[in-house]
Amino acid sequence: MEEPQDNFIPHLGMEFQTVEEAWSAWSYYGGKIGFGVRKGFGPKSKKDDVITSKLFLCSCEGKRVVDKRDGLTKKPRAETRTGCQARLQIKFNREIQKYKVVEFVSEHNHPLQRPEACYLIPSQRKVSEIAAIDIHLADSSGISPKEAHELYSRQHGGIRGVGYTRTDHNNCLRDERKKAMEHGSAIAMTKYFAKRALEDLSFKHFEDATEEGEISNVVWTDAKMIVAYARFGDVVEFDTTFGTNNEKWAFGVFVGFNHFREIAIFGAALMCDQTKDSFEWVFSKFLEAHGGKKPITIFTDQCSAMGPALEKVMPDTRHGLCVWHIGQNCIKHLSHYNKDKRDITGDFTACMYRYDEENEFEDAYNALKQKCGDGWLNKIYDSREKWAHCFMKDVYTLGIRSTQASESINSNLKAYLNCKLDLYRFLQHFDRVLDENREKEITSDYDMTSKLPRIKLNFPILREAGKVYTPKVFELFQEQFELSGSTHIECLEGDTYTVAMCSIDNKTPHKSRQVVWNRDDQTITCSCKKFERDGILCCHALKVLDREDIKVIPPRYVLNRWTRAAKNVTVVDIEGRRIIEDPMLEARNRNADLVRIITPTCGKAAKNEEQAQFLRTELLAVRRKYEEKYENLQRTSGDNNPNSEHSLRLKKKNGGDRRSKRNPSCIEKLPRAKKAKIKTISNSQDSSRLSANISQDKLDENFGCYTNLEDLQ
């Protein structure tokens, strides 16, 4: 409805086309004068159902009805009605088919609002459809209501130009969330997945329902997750986190490394409980979403239910345990043995990272048990093949030894979440984390295309590797090549060599490695097993290649997952259709194109009142034409819910409180004073002992784990 002119004043005989037009004029008049308005009685004709007359009143008209609860109300609302007689009445004239003003009373029996406060009158505040879209967009982008309202006030020339207050802003968000959760969390979640499936044909989600019809577990993947897993799903991490939603469900995410050694997300799950059956269902549905492809290696924490579930669902997949969690348990069970300068935790850490041979590990572990007894050491010893370096040195892990990538995603997710969020808002915020993570990959891809690799030494093999590998992987390869220049090589017999680092002081011992080079089939193997473990040739192998005058990397030792062409592989879904990674990309590009066209024009027209009014009129006309022509396209099938869906509900979590989360460590359970004291001791004693006893070990930040220095050399 077009707004009346600034000099609008009602008078007898004034004509209006519709009741809405008269109401708009009365509301505009009230805002200019300084009083609120409301609608009164409006009878309809029994013949044609036309409103014959309508009464518009001042908001202070009448008196408040006596409330029977007033005697029990401690702080009743302030009285606002004063019996004001200001009004405007219109009647329908059938001869001219218009409404005429038949009564107008302008006098008020109460003070009118000052002009600077008129924007606070309830009848003058309205969150328009366009404003509601902006409010929801800001909320989904992580902008707080206060900051979003301040931004809009600056865009509209002040808080009075926004058209609504911060309370209205919050109420708009509340109403939208209430509408989304109208039929419960289960229906809201199902609607969300249905909407995603309409936008993305490759989107898959699975719901595990109990005999009572309650949803107990959920797994979902989208097109980008499926494509990422097909390209980089050889090594997977899975971990669960708590305190992300008000249903107290655990959230699990499947992650790994892409060709930039950055986090790639392969799937997500919500679990009511963490039983063996639940994990079996989650793992099986995850594989089903990815066409049955199983990872080579998977890392999890020490959850007792995960191991048996993985053995049943993925019997051929190597299962590794997160060494970070094992280290935390070591501190919990063994730190009290750190007496008389005996660094027990340092000895256990050496068992995790240092020893290459099993006999060395066994000797060190037996010595450790003699100091501390059996207990927890015997329990963790049974799963030594999943965490000790000597058993994992030839396992294909890409350098991963923990669920660090999964923990990173959980940390980013908790930056947006709290335990009071419903599942619908949780899913919306998880999409934000997905978008941020994928934007990093796009940025890395842009940098790789626009920037040349930094080659420190002008060697043919480095120039060739710089063209093939992604920048991050090339840096790791170049480090190994530089280390190869500091090695000493000896030929034992035939194609077998021994390679060792040359120490500067001739005092530090370096373990020699045996490298076998087969000239016939161009294969090379090293006893350090770095290539089998990380997918990159070690410095020992590169030294032998240089000795054999090989100037390029043998093709079989260039894994496609580390190359610039890793994403050139076409991926199809389980139905044989080619997957479009970003099905909404074209729609977003069209939207951005339309915004680029209209925004500069609006900026120019806003500087002149006549031009702004002309553009506004034209845009409203265009919008009406568009809505009339494409009205059917505005309807979405997701808005219609079968009555049977209203009975769908989520399974309630047994036991625990809303704040339940991962079991805290022994230090986290202590009182604040003792915790600070132990933290100081840990920093001053344990850390120094660890670094002293494992001086040859190094934390490789690129791989997120401890690796032996000799492996890097």
Side-chain angles (χ1 to χ4, degrees):
M1 183 65 63
E2 295 292 336
E3 294 179 348
Q5 299 296 325
D6 289 344
N7 58 359
F8 167 78
I9 298 177
H11 57 84
L12 296 177
M14 180 177 287
E15 297 178 352
F16 300 99
Q17 295 288 344
T18 61
V19 174
E20 288 74 18
E21 183 180 348
W23 167 250
S24 177
W26 177 249
S27 178
Y28 182 80
Y29 171 72
K32 288 295 183 182
I33 299 300
F35 67 93
V37 297
R38 60 187 180 89
K39 295 180 180 179
F41 183 67
K44 291 184 179 181
S45 173
K46 296 182 179 180
K47 296 181 180 179
D48 48 11
D49 204 32
V50 174
I51 297 177
T52 57
S53 65
K54 190 69 176 178
L55 183 63
F56 302 124
L57 306 167
C58 172
S59 60
C60 295
E61 184 271 344
K63 295 290 184 180
R64 178 182 296 177
V65 179
V66 177
D67 194 342
K68 296 180 180 180
R69 299 171 298 176
D70 280 348
L72 303 176
T73 304
K74 294 182 178 180
K75 294 182 179 181
R77 292 184 178 181
E79 182 63 61
T80 58
R81 303 258 184 128
T82 61
C84 181
Q85 295 298 315
R87 63 184 60 204
L88 177 73
Q89 185 177 12
I90 59 174
K91 284 189 177 181
F92 184 65
N93 190 323
R94 294 187 178 274
E95 295 181 359
I96 60 176
Q97 293 293 308
K98 291 183 179 180
Y99 289 91
K100 279 191 175 184
V101 176
V102 296
E103 182 183 7
F104 171 58
V105 179
S106 60
E107 292 80 11
H108 297 265
N109 65 351
H110 56 87
L112 299 178
Q113 296 291 346
R114 297 176 62 85
E116 59 268 22
C118 287
Y119 78 97
L120 294 173
I121 300 174
S123 60
Q124 301 302 312
R125 292 153 34 194
K126 181 180 179 182
V127 180
S128 64
E129 181 180 351
I130 298 177
I133 294 175
D134 291 338
I135 290 173
H136 298 143
L137 182 62
D139 181 63
S140 62
S141 301
I143 304 176
S144 68
K146 178 181 178 181
E147 294 172 345
H149 190 264
E150 182 178 354
L151 172 64
Y152 299 150
S153 66
R154 292 180 181 273
Q155 290 177 340
H156 292 81
I159 193 171
R160 297 170 183 79
V162 179
Y164 54 88
T165 64
R166 191 187 303 171
T167 301
D168 300 326
H169 187 116
N170 295 332
N171 291 342
C172 179
L173 291 175
R174 179 204 60 194
D175 294 342
E176 180 66 19
R177 295 164 186 167
K178 184 178 179 180
K179 181 179 179 181
M181 300 297 296
E182 181 180 4
H183 302 293
S185 298
I187 299 298
M189 184 173 62
T190 303
K191 281 185 177 182
Y192 168 83
F193 288 140
K195 179 182 178 182
R196 291 292 307 274
L198 288 175
E199 299 173 349
D200 182 0
L201 296 178
S202 299
F203 182 86
K204 303 293 180 184
H205 79 279
F206 306 91
E207 299 172 355
D208 184 18
T210 63
E211 295 179 355
E212 293 78 14
E214 297 176 328
I215 298 177
S216 57
N217 300 297
V218 181
V219 174
W220 71 95
T221 59
D222 60 16
K224 288 189 175 182
M225 293 178 182
I226 295 174
V227 171
Y229 183 79
R231 294 167 177 166
F232 312 113
D234 40 13
V235 180
V236 176
E237 302 174 23
F238 179 75
D239 191 21
T240 55
T241 186
F242 302 85
T244 57
N245 56 83
N246 64 356
E247 299 293 340
K248 298 180 287 187
W249 280 25
F251 173 69
V253 59
F254 296 87
V255 302
F257 279 164
N258 60 13
H259 54 320
F260 296 113
R261 292 197 64 84
E262 296 173 347
I263 297 174
I265 301 176
F266 305 138
L270 281 167
M271 305 176 63
C272 178
D273 50 42
Q274 297 194 84
T275 61
K276 177 177 176 292
D277 293 337
S278 294
F279 280 119
E280 284 184 9
W281 185 89
V282 168
F283 293 146
S284 61
K285 293 305 178 182
F286 172 76
L287 296 180
E288 181 179 342
H290 293 291
K293 177 185 175 182
K294 300 178 182 179
I296 299 175
T297 310
I298 185 170
F299 283 88
T300 67
D301 59 16
Q302 290 181 269
C303 178
S304 58
M306 279 194 200
L310 284 171
E311 291 178 2
K312 183 175 181 180
V313 180
M314 309 180 195
D316 300 329
T317 298
R318 184 64 183 266
H319 181 202
L321 295 178
C322 173
V323 293
W324 185 85
H325 288 105
I326 294 177
Q328 293 297 303
N329 286 329
C330 170
I331 296 175
K332 175 181 177 181
H333 293 90
L334 304 181
S335 60
H336 57 280
Y337 289 104
N338 288 335
K339 299 177 181 178
D340 301 330
K341 298 183 179 180
R342 294 186 306 171
D343 191 358
I344 303 301
T345 55
D347 293 342
F348 182 82
T349 305
C351 292
M352 283 197 295
Y353 299 115
R354 179 187 295 176
Y355 304 113
D356 289 337
E357 303 301 331
E358 296 182 18
N359 57 348
E360 297 177 350
F361 169 82
E362 296 291 346
D363 294 340
Y365 206 84
N366 290 331
L368 186 60
K369 288 196 293 184
Q370 291 179 0
K371 298 178 182 179
C372 307
D374 299 338
W376 178 78
L377 288 175
N378 275 346
K379 182 179 179 181
I380 196 67
Y381 178 81
D382 295 336
S383 59
R384 61 192 180 280
E385 294 86 359
K386 300 179 180 180
W387 53 266
H389 171 69
C390 59
F391 297 100
M392 299 285 292
K393 65 179 181 180
D394 57 347
V395 178
Y396 183 67
T397 63
L398 304 179
I400 298 173
R401 291 292 304 279
S402 67
T403 57
Q404 182 180 6
S406 179
E407 294 283 358
S408 177
I409 290 294
N410 293 336
S411 177
N412 293 339
L413 189 62
K414 286 190 175 182
Y416 304 113
L417 303 180
N418 59 67
C419 61
K420 297 182 180 180
L421 291 181
D422 55 68
L423 286 185
Y424 182 76
R425 292 179 64 194
F426 167 82
L427 294 172
Q428 288 182 319
H429 286 297
F430 177 62
D431 285 344
R432 291 176 54 197
V433 177
L434 281 178
D435 293 339
E436 288 184 6
N437 178 262
R438 290 163 178 172
E439 191 63 30
K440 292 180 182 178
E441 182 176 338
I442 295 174
T443 302
S444 298
D445 190 70
Y446 170 81
D447 292 339
M448 179 182 67
T449 305
S450 60
K451 300 177 182 178
L452 298 176
R454 294 172 291 187
I455 301 177
K456 299 178 182 179
L457 302 174
N458 189 17
F459 284 86
I461 193 170
L462 286 181
R463 292 197 299 268
E464 185 66 24
K467 297 178 182 178
V468 175
Y469 285 131
T470 58
K472 185 63 177 180
V473 179
F474 173 70
E475 289 181 6
L476 299 176
F477 178 83
Q478 190 167 224
E479 289 177 4
Q480 293 297 316
F481 186 82
E482 291 176 350
L483 289 174
S484 68
S486 302
T487 57
H488 173 72
I489 184 171
E490 291 182 2
C491 181
L492 295 179
E493 55 177 317
D495 297 335
T496 304
Y497 297 86
T498 59
V499 183
M501 290 295 298
C502 297
S503 58
I504 299 178
D505 54 5
N506 293 323
K507 294 181 180 180
T508 306
H510 292 284
K511 187 174 182 178
S512 61
R513 305 290 182 175
Q514 285 194 358
V515 183
V516 180
W517 165 250
N518 192 320
R519 295 180 179 85
D520 296 331
D521 57 5
Q522 299 283 296
T523 59
I524 189 169
T525 56
C526 179
S527 60
C528 75
K529 302 294 183 180
K530 182 175 180 60
F531 178 79
E532 290 79 3
R533 185 173 61 252
D534 303 337
I536 302 175
L537 285 177
C538 61
C539 59
H540 316 105
L542 292 175
K543 185 69 173 181
V544 174
L545 291 179
D546 183 63
R547 173 74 174 266
E548 294 290 332
D549 200 28
I550 303 298
K551 302 302 182 184
V552 295
I553 307 174
R556 69 175 62 193
Y557 297 106
V558 180
L559 298 186
N560 185 67
R561 70 156 357 269
W562 294 135
T563 65
R564 295 169 176 255
K567 297 181 67 174
N568 294 345
V569 180
T570 301
V571 181
V572 297
D573 59 15
I574 57 179
E575 299 176 1
R577 296 176 300 192
R578 179 179 177 272
I579 297 180
I580 301 175
E581 283 194 63
D582 193 350
M584 299 301 295
L585 178 61
E586 293 185 2
R588 289 199 300 269
N589 288 340
R590 288 192 293 267
N591 178 74
D593 183 55
L594 294 175
V595 171
R596 282 194 296 267
I597 292 176
I598 194 61
T599 300
T601 306
C602 292
K604 294 178 181 178
K607 298 177 181 179
N608 182 276
E609 183 177 355
E610 181 181 355
Q611 297 176 11
Q613 185 63 28
F614 168 77
L615 182 60
R616 183 175 184 273
T617 303
E618 295 298 321
L619 290 177
L620 289 173
V622 171
R623 188 176 70 174
R624 284 194 295 268
K625 291 180 181 179
Y626 170 79
E627 291 175 350
E628 292 173 359
K629 185 174 183 180
Y630 298 101
E631 181 179 2
N632 293 332
L633 297 180
Q634 304 293 329
R635 302 171 184 172
T636 58
S637 58
D639 294 336
N640 300 322
N641 297 306
N643 294 331
S644 59
E645 286 189 357
H646 295 338
S647 61
L648 194 64
R649 62 188 184 276
L650 298 178
K651 182 180 178 181
K652 296 298 182 182
K653 186 175 179 65
N654 296 326
D657 58 11
R658 182 167 294 179
R659 296 172 295 176
S660 61
K661 55 182 180 180
R662 181 182 303 283
N663 292 332
S665 65
C666 58
I667 296 178
E668 293 173 332
K669 292 181 179 179
L670 294 175
R672 183 176 300 177
K674 292 185 178 180
K675 189 187 302 182
K677 182 178 179 180
I678 290 180
K679 184 177 180 181
T680 304
I681 295 175
S682 176
N683 291 335
S684 62
Q685 296 181 8
D686 289 346
S687 299
S688 61
R689 291 172 184 169
L690 284 174
S691 59
N693 289 336
I694 316 176
S695 58
Q696 293 184 356
D697 290 346
K698 177 181 179 181
L699 179 61
D700 187 343
E701 297 178 355
N702 299 317
F703 287 67
C705 67
Y706 278 102
T707 53
N708 195 288
L709 182 60
E710 295 174 357
D711 287 350
L712 296 175
Q713 296 174 342

